[in-house]
Amino acid sequence: MTGQLTPDQTHAPKTKTSGEAFHVSGWDNWLSGLIARHPMQWIRLGNFETKIARDAIEDIKIEKPVFVAGLARSGSTILLETLARHQDAATHRYRDYPPVFTPYFWNKFVDLAPKGKEVAVERTHADGINITPESPEAFEEMIWMAFFRHLHDVNESNVLDGQISNPAFEQFYRDHIRKLIHIRGGKRYISKANYLVTRMEYLLSIFPDARFVLPVRDPLWHIASLAKQHDLFCKGEQNNPRAIAHMQRVGHYEFGLDRRPINTGDAHASRQIMKHWKDGEEIAGWAHYWSDLHHYIADRLTVNKALKDATLVVRYEDFIADPANQLHRLFNHVDLPDAEPIINEVAPTIHAPTYYRPKFNDDEIGLIREVTAIAARRFGY
């Protein structure tokens, strides 16, 4: 899903070369490394910040937080950017990185720092989405990883269900969201984090009025996009070792040299996916991964009525074919009113991707269709 949603329409977007796209500055690398090596100290600093900000946030209530989740390359970024346009929205932004744990202190510093001319640039994914430091982005994974150290271990279940309890995380997370709402001047927290797909039931236990948005996509095109991104990131990271560390520190293991599938509770399935990739069977690995994750999602929506009621499934193809109606469904589901001007502006920009097409041979297409058939049918494919 792509479009002309440049965060800063007043400047022409700048296209980076492949080397520039994966460059990580020495400052970002140093500070992000410091945070990654000492998460408990940053949690304590975040809690200290909360005490300092207490008067500013004590009356802020977290109502109907919105979580966009799902396998990468399903259209989640455009959904986040569209929701973030709403006047009530409060999201993480690129400017919040690296010190994500202390948004109150950091944003005060950024606001006081001298500012140069902001020029929108195409993001690393080379997918037509242009960004500035003010663009919404997914950074809360850093907080999850600090409290739950196993979340990207392919040999251990990455699922956090409704039975999980971690009071220290839950308090920190609530305070963090309230600080972001205060900083952004909004009312509703909007998050995009692909890995939340295995944490929706835990989130629902923390926020019973939460709303989930779950984009899904035809497996053939979805896998084509995933494979393209993986190849792009592998090439970029080979010449930029800092880029690998950056991906690990922000918790993006979807593609690149340290790619890891989400373990949905079946360690055997995760290990088999990793084996396919290690043996050079790229398409087989992606197909089994798509099938495993989407079976998990369909199972949870089937057995948990509260989760199903809280979740809007957005099929990529439906969104492309009829964006206006799909955007109405989106804003109605998350209960953000007065969205008509946003819908009227965004809908005409939505179109099918033009920067790639699947290049699979007949055998590969047959393999994808065979492996994903049952899971795909559960989502109407």
Side-chain angles (χ1 to χ4, degrees):
M1 194 178 303
T2 184
Q4 305 305 312
L5 293 177
T6 50
D8 185 349
Q9 298 286 355
T10 63
H11 301 295
K14 177 183 177 183
T15 300
K16 293 183 179 181
T17 66
S18 59
E20 290 175 330
F22 286 88
H23 173 73
V24 177
S25 71
W27 159 253
D28 277 354
N29 185 62
W30 175 81
L31 184 54
S32 64
L34 181 68
I35 295 168
R37 289 190 299 273
H38 305 286
M40 297 310 299
Q41 286 88 332
W42 283 86
I43 290 171
R44 285 194 286 271
L45 185 57
N47 286 328
F48 172 72
E49 176 190 72
T50 298
K51 293 179 181 178
I52 299 298
R54 182 64 62 190
D55 289 344
I57 68 172
E58 63 180 354
D59 293 329
I60 293 176
K61 296 181 180 180
I62 303 173
E63 297 179 337
K64 300 178 183 178
V66 179
F67 301 98
V68 182
L71 186 57
R73 309 307 301 164
S74 57
S76 55
T77 297
I78 293 299
L79 294 173
L80 171 68
E81 290 199 344
T82 302
L83 291 169
R85 289 182 170 222
H86 197 279
Q87 62 183 3
D88 290 344
T91 72
H92 282 102
R93 298 179 183 175
Y94 278 91
R95 67 182 277 171
D96 296 325
Y97 181 81
V100 174
F101 290 84
T102 53
Y104 186 79
F105 289 157
W106 179 246
N107 276 270
K108 284 186 175 296
F109 169 76
V110 172
D111 286 341
L112 293 172
K115 295 177 178 60
K117 183 179 180 181
E118 292 182 357
V119 178
V121 298
E122 188 174 30
R123 67 177 186 159
T124 308
H125 302 67
D127 57 3
I129 295 177
N130 303 302
I131 59 173
T132 75
E134 301 303 322
S135 299
E137 177 54 333
F139 282 124
E140 69 171 65
E141 189 65 17
M142 295 173 64
I143 297 172
W144 286 89
M145 292 191 302
F147 284 91
F148 300 93
R149 308 293 287 180
H150 69 287
L151 291 179
H152 299 288
D153 185 344
V154 297
N155 294 308
E156 188 172 344
S157 174
N158 303 155
V159 175
L160 300 178
D161 60 22
Q163 305 305 311
I164 293 291
S165 176
N166 188 326
F169 165 76
E170 291 155 21
Q171 187 60 57
F172 188 95
Y173 192 45
R174 288 190 184 98
D175 289 337
H176 183 81
I177 291 173
R178 291 160 65 208
K179 286 183 283 189
L180 274 181
I181 291 173
H182 168 71
I183 292 165
R184 303 297 181 232
K187 298 178 181 178
R188 299 279 302 283
Y189 178 60
I190 313 290
S191 167
K192 186 207 82 170
N194 296 326
Y195 293 107
L196 296 185
V197 71
T198 52
R199 307 168 200 165
M200 293 189 294
E201 288 169 295
Y202 181 39
L203 285 167
L204 198 59
S205 72
I206 303 172
F207 308 110
D209 61 351
R211 299 289 188 271
F212 300 97
V213 179
L214 185 65
V216 298
R217 189 175 185 181
D218 178 277
L220 181 64
W221 280 84
H222 199 168
I223 290 169
S225 183
L226 287 163
K228 174 183 178 295
Q229 288 300 308
H230 177 64
D231 182 62
L232 175 69
F233 273 70
C234 285
K235 291 176 180 177
E237 291 172 356
Q238 284 172 353
N239 299 318
N240 295 274
R242 288 178 181 174
I244 303 173
H246 169 78
M247 294 288 280
Q248 294 167 332
R249 291 166 184 170
V250 298
H252 284 316
Y253 295 94
E254 295 95 337
F255 18 74
L257 296 177
D258 193 13
R259 171 183 53 177
R260 308 179 193 179
I262 299 171
N263 183 326
T264 61
D266 185 344
H268 174 73
S270 296
R271 285 193 289 267
Q272 284 298 111
I273 293 165
M274 290 292 289
K275 184 177 187 304
H276 280 303
W277 286 336
K278 182 179 179 180
D279 293 343
E281 299 167 353
E282 282 291 308
I283 305 305
W286 283 119
H288 283 282
Y289 184 27
W290 195 100
S291 178
D292 178 66
L293 185 63
H294 287 80
H295 271 305
Y296 168 83
I297 295 168
D299 286 346
R300 300 321 305 160
L301 294 178
T302 299
V303 302
N304 189 331
K305 185 179 185 304
L307 179 63
K308 181 178 180 180
D309 291 343
T311 302
L312 175 70
V313 175
V314 180
R315 297 200 332 160
Y316 182 101
E317 297 75 22
D318 296 339
F319 195 93
I320 294 296
D322 191 6
N325 282 332
Q326 292 298 316
L327 287 172
H328 278 105
R329 289 180 67 233
L330 173 67
F331 280 101
N332 287 338
H333 175 73
V334 302
D335 196 18
L336 282 172
D338 304 319
E340 197 69 30
I342 300 172
I343 295 170
N344 291 339
E345 183 177 358
V346 171
T349 73
I350 303 300
H351 55 77
T354 57
Y355 53 90
Y356 76 96
R357 294 190 64 83
K359 297 180 180 178
F360 303 131
N361 60 40
D362 290 345
D363 289 342
E364 290 170 332
I365 292 173
L367 175 62
I368 292 171
R369 292 303 189 198
E370 179 182 357
V371 171
T372 64
I374 298 174
R377 279 199 294 272
R378 301 181 75 177
F379 291 92
Y381 293 111

